[in-house]
Amino acid sequence: MATTRMSMAKALNAGLRKAMEQDPRVVLMGEDIGKLGGVFRVTDGLQKDFGEDRVMDTPLAESGIIGTAVGLAFRGYRPVCEIQFDGFIYPAFDQIVSQVAKLHYRSQGNVKMPLTIRVPFGGGIGAVEHHSESPEAYFAHTAGLRVVACADSDDAYGMLQQAIASDDPVLFFEPKRLYQHKGDVDLDRALTSREPLHQARIARTGTDLTVAAYGPVVGTALAAAEAAAEDGVSIEVVDLRTLSPVDFDTLEQSVLRTGRLVVTHEAAVFMGMGAEIAARITERCFYHLEAPVLRVGGFHLPYPASKLEEHHLPDLDRLLHATDRVLAY
Amino acid sequence: MTVTTDQMVQLITPTGERRPHPVYEGLIADLDGAALRGLYEDLVVVRRIDAEGTALQRQGQLGLWAPMLGQEAAQIGSGRALQTEDFVFPSYREHGVAYCRGVDPADVFGMWRGTSLSCWDPYDINMAIPAIIIGAQGLHATGYALGLKRDGVEAAAVAYFGDGATSQGDIAEALGFSATYQAPVVFFCQNNHWAISEPVGLQAQVPIYQRAAGYGMPGIQVDGNDVLAVLAVTRWALQRAREGSGPALIEAVTYRMGPHTTADDPTRYRPTGELEEWRERDPLARMLALLQREGLADDAYLESVTAKADAVAAELRAGCLALPDPAPLSMFDNVYAEAHPLVAEERAQYAAYLDGFEGSN
Ligand SMILES: Cc1ncc(C[n+]2csc(CCOP(=O)(O)OP(=O)(O)O)c2C)c(N)n1
């Protein structure tokens, strides 16, 4: 199997290109995605190759982008919408949670909403406000939406195609601080041979405790596992990949082996993904847990000024601090 | 697409000649030589502030900067039309307006340097903190204006936004609400022709000022590179609003001569020749030509303007570099106005965590 080394942005670009080649009903919509190729260049060159009808620079209006995509989906198209930055998805919130999420249900299954909504998310890039948010829990909380987050180039490439191929609406979260990170991508592997979109992945095996992570902090979790290994501690890292649904089966199997769980994400801990995961795993693994499930994530505050973000974001030290605590029980 | 129509108000031609106008000329009749010189000085100083912003970003002192190069006349003309009681709701590019409101130039940089989320106390200078969510401030200005009206205060609110923002629902809703309640608000759109890479033609199929008609308010298009015309038109709209005649929409036709932000690369989308075309309409050159025609720009004056710009630049550079990095635990401040147990708990936990860290060193 021949792999190609490429950045996550390039892998996403390749995934979009492939999806567009394979299905003429796939259309891209968003602000600055045409000539500019998107502010992160994820759509670079696609308008040139597929034309303005398939790669649409839209007016500067997020509710307009998603609402129009709903109409296109009614007509049988498969829109892939780009929201420029996480913090700008809220103007479209009503269309996403009231319309996109519910139309299949409300129409008794007659109307499909195969939208993919791409959202660059997370911080760590020194941006100004509204450019570093982690809004995934709002969407995971809404029935009818699928929510996923990629963590490396190969998954970015494959998962994006799977999202576009899904007949359900998918919120596709892209960790923006990883856009320029390179990884090996197997461009030829069939979608069917990849982990399905609802499945987690064991990113590193271990025996002493499990760290569950997704998106930007999978790398942090792997680094923590590396560091812990030097101290003789064996950490298993589960890349959740999918946030709605969460693959509790894979996670449960891991926790049954290790007996301990730490969940980490950039989003605020309070009412976040980690809370749901801790509750369900506690329910499933009550008699096997050696310690309470701990969470490491953002604090209960608006994303702070960039000179403070290193304190807000979970890093290697905070993660190791939590794994130490879990192991000390 | 360059939006220019016959109706566009202009009081100085690009070569610096005065252009008569039956209505708006009278609104700047009070400007004597000193006032005209003052306006030119403002233009030069804010261009300098802006250039300093770009330089500081390039030197790694700011994370990002949104240059206003080319939009000086639109901002100084409108900013100098304001009275103290008026309240401004800006976007992120209104460095010139902030200067007119009396903000300490160094304070503008906190947000871009990442030391804080805001730059000033809105109530100190009657100017809200910058809105980065496009168009949100249009509604805020409308609500503030409603408050002014209820309180019987003769003042107006002003919302600044770009041509791209006119596509947002918030701006459409603000136009609707303000007309419904006859709120004393002025919508000041700087049509700088680009919303990042998107030309104004992607947002609007008619000149932006014409949208006002559909909401039942006057819309005026003004040459945004003509500081006198912008001043006159804004004075007119503000006065109307203060007197209870309701909202108005001003479209200042100007041009963003720099990149969208220091992270942007306009060569990817800007047609060749367009920048050069607009350089010929430079707002500073035009005002200088007028001063020269009227014998108001001798060497001593020009030197004094340069000296002033130098002084402001030196001060803001020093001020910017002196902005202290915030203390880690300060991030827990002001999440709520009243005590909140969750924040208190997380603050305490993080403080203990940091302490433990120090102890282990
Ligand atoms: C709701 C929202 N969507 C997208 C963005 C990203 N963005 C920042 S500035 C900008 C272009 C704005 O253009 P315009 O309104 O014309 O103002 P200008 O920057 O030209 O002054 C975009 C798309 C944003 N800040 N807010």
Side-chain angles (χ1 to χ4, degrees):
Chain A
M1 123 185 146
T3 60
T4 311
R5 201 157 175 78
M6 57 172 81
S7 69
M8 184 183 281
K10 288 240 159 65
L12 290 163
N13 182 279
L16 287 171
R17 179 177 289 279
K18 188 131 187 197
M20 293 183 79
E21 280 164 2
Q22 286 180 348
D23 187 345
R25 295 167 306 163
V26 173
V27 291
L28 272 45
M29 313 171 63
E31 296 157 8
D32 303 294
I33 67 169
K35 263 208 181 110
L36 188 66
V39 293
F40 294 106
R41 309 289 185 260
V42 169
T43 55
D44 201 12
L46 296 177
Q47 188 181 64
K48 196 166 110 287
D49 296 343
F50 293 95
E52 291 183 9
D53 279 352
R54 296 206 47 207
V55 182
M56 294 165 59
D57 264 334
T58 64
L60 206 178
E62 288 75 13
S63 182
I65 294 169
I66 304 299
T68 306
V70 166
L72 279 163
F74 254 102
R75 184 69 203 164
Y77 285 91
R78 306 182 87 84
V80 182
C81 303
E82 174 174 303
I83 298 292
Q84 200 160 71
F85 277 90
D86 36 54
F88 310 148
I89 198 167
Y90 306 115
F93 195 71
D94 170 55
Q95 283 289 341
I96 297 172
V97 303
S98 305
Q99 307 301 329
V100 174
K102 298 183 172 69
L103 266 161
H104 189 253
Y105 190 71
R106 286 164 56 213
S107 69
Q108 299 176 49
N110 287 310
V111 179
K112 291 205 171 62
M113 280 293 129
L115 263 72
T116 301
I117 303 174
R118 296 183 34 243
V119 192
F121 86 126
I125 60 162
V128 293
E129 57 182 339
H130 308 294
H131 286 72
S132 302
E133 310 207 346
S134 301
E136 59 271 18
Y138 295 116
F139 300 102
H141 190 67
T142 298
L145 301 173
R146 288 177 187 272
V147 183
V148 303
C150 55
D152 63 37
S153 295
D154 191 54
D155 241 2
Y157 173 74
M159 284 171 74
L160 185 52
Q161 292 177 70
Q162 290 171 327
I164 295 169
S166 169
D167 274 342
D168 281 321
V170 181
L171 269 290
F172 192 91
F173 284 99
E174 301 168 2
K176 67 172 87 78
R177 70 161 124 141
L178 299 185
Y179 273 135
Q180 294 317 319
H181 273 234
K182 290 200 168 138
D184 292 326
V185 180
D186 183 351
L187 293 167
D188 301 322
R189 181 147 63 109
L191 279 192
T192 46
S193 77
R194 290 178 171 272
E195 284 113 344
L197 206 50
H198 55 263
Q199 196 173 302
R201 178 176 63 105
I202 310 282
R204 176 188 172 116
T205 55
T207 52
D208 297 334
L209 96 141
T210 302
V211 172
Y214 58 86
V217 289
V218 171
T220 315
L222 289 169
E226 197 70 46
E230 285 167 23
D231 292 339
V233 174
S234 167
I235 292 181
E236 176 148 309
V237 176
V238 177
D239 174 4
L240 290 173
R241 299 174 77 247
T242 166
L243 311 179
S244 179
V246 171
D247 178 6
F248 285 110
D249 292 342
T250 298
L251 197 54
E252 177 183 347
Q253 291 307 314
S254 173
V255 175
L256 290 179
R257 284 193 297 274
T258 63
R260 291 179 171 86
L261 176 64
V262 172
V263 190
T264 183
H265 47 60
E266 283 192 15
V269 162
F270 183 66
M271 293 283 166
M273 290 298 306
E276 179 64 36
I277 291 165
R280 296 245 180 188
I281 289 299
T282 303
E283 204 177 319
R284 287 188 180 213
C285 306
F286 190 67
Y287 294 107
H288 300 268
L289 280 170
E290 310 275 352
V293 180
L294 292 193
R295 293 165 289 161
V296 184
F299 298 106
H300 187 62
L301 36 108
Y303 198 87
S306 60
K307 295 264 185 198
L308 287 166
E309 68 181 344
E310 58 169 307
H311 292 284
H312 179 64
L313 293 173
D315 63 2
L316 187 70
D317 289 327
R318 271 174 65 202
L319 196 49
L320 288 174
H321 183 69
T323 57
D324 285 350
R325 278 181 63 206
V326 164
L327 286 163
Y329 272 89
Chain B
M1 184 180 82
T2 300
V3 185
T4 39
T5 67
D6 291 345
Q7 294 96 324
M8 186 161 79
V9 179
Q10 194 181 64
L11 298 179
I12 323 175
T13 68
T15 49
E17 283 166 87
R18 293 237 188 203
R19 196 176 220 201
H21 190 285
V23 179
Y24 295 111
E25 203 176 42
L27 284 162
I28 53 154
D30 61 309
L31 297 183
D32 57 11
L36 293 173
R37 287 171 166 215
L39 285 171
Y40 179 68
E41 180 191 286
D42 285 345
L43 294 172
V44 172
V45 169
V46 299
R47 177 164 289 185
R48 190 60 181 275
I49 292 173
D50 186 56
E52 208 62 32
T54 299
L56 283 163
Q57 196 281 334
R58 299 289 183 231
Q59 291 158 10
Q61 295 297 337
L62 303 179
L64 190 75
W65 180 248
M68 57 163 292
L69 184 67
Q71 300 179 220
E72 294 87 353
Q75 295 198 15
I76 293 300
S78 58
R80 287 297 180 215
L82 296 164
Q83 293 176 1
T84 311
E85 288 273 86
D86 298 328
F87 203 100
V88 175
F89 288 84
S91 83
Y92 41 80
R93 208 185 291 284
E94 273 68 72
H95 320 308
V97 182
Y99 176 73
C100 292
R101 293 315 269 167
V103 65
D104 176 347
D107 284 353
V108 175
F109 290 92
M111 179 178 113
W112 304 100
R113 193 167 163 81
T115 55
S116 85
L117 292 180
S118 62
C119 306
W120 51 74
D121 178 344
Y123 298 111
D124 278 350
I125 58 169
N126 278 358
M127 178 158 172
I129 58 178
I132 284 177
I133 302 296
I134 302 291
Q137 72 276 23
L139 284 162
H140 306 164
T142 301
Y144 190 92
L146 275 180
L148 287 171
K149 188 175 169 177
R150 281 173 190 231
D151 296 344
V153 176
E154 275 213 11
V158 186
Y160 282 88
F161 52 91
D163 42 295
T166 62
S167 291
Q168 288 283 355
D170 275 7
I171 291 297
E173 291 173 30
L175 293 170
F177 271 55
S178 65
T180 297
Y181 299 118
Q182 290 294 290
V185 55
V186 174
F187 296 98
F188 193 91
C189 176
Q190 290 172 80
N191 172 2
N192 67 6
H193 284 81
W194 291 94
I196 310 188
S197 74
E198 302 192 333
V200 60
L202 196 82
Q203 317 290 342
Q205 301 309 307
V206 297
I208 285 164
Y209 78 97
Q210 288 182 3
R211 292 194 180 188
Y215 290 95
M217 70 176 77
I220 317 150
Q221 194 181 48
V222 62
D223 185 331
N225 286 9
D226 172 347
V227 70
L228 296 188
V230 176
L231 179 67
V233 161
T234 315
R235 278 181 170 181
W236 175 82
L238 284 168
Q239 199 45 40
R240 255 187 103 252
R242 293 188 198 109
E243 285 166 7
S245 302
L249 170 64
I250 296 171
E251 177 193 0
V253 179
T254 180
Y255 192 75
R256 188 194 83 210
M257 286 164 69
H260 170 69
T261 67
T262 43
D264 175 44
D265 173 13
T267 61
R268 278 185 164 245
Y269 53 81
R270 191 152 61 195
T272 42
E274 193 179 81
L275 180 60
E276 289 65 32
E277 199 184 301
W278 279 92
R279 255 198 206 115
E280 285 161 22
R281 294 177 229 174
D282 187 295
L284 272 65
R286 188 181 309 195
M287 191 57 188
L288 180 59
L290 178 98
L291 291 186
Q292 282 165 339
R293 270 177 198 281
E294 303 194 356
L296 291 166
D298 56 22
D299 288 348
Y301 164 71
L302 292 176
E303 273 163 31
S304 77
V305 170
T306 309
K308 169 83 188 233
D310 286 347
V312 170
E315 195 187 325
L316 78 83
R317 171 168 283 269
C320 174
L321 300 183
L323 287 172
D325 278 2
L329 293 179
S330 71
M331 72 181 170
F332 294 100
D333 295 345
N334 299 311
V335 181
Y336 295 91
E338 293 169 22
H340 190 286
L342 174 60
V343 175
E345 181 188 332
E346 290 191 350
R347 178 203 290 266
Q349 280 170 353
Y350 193 58
Y353 169 78
L354 288 179
D355 283 350
F357 220 59
E358 260 164 30
S360 69
N361 278 342

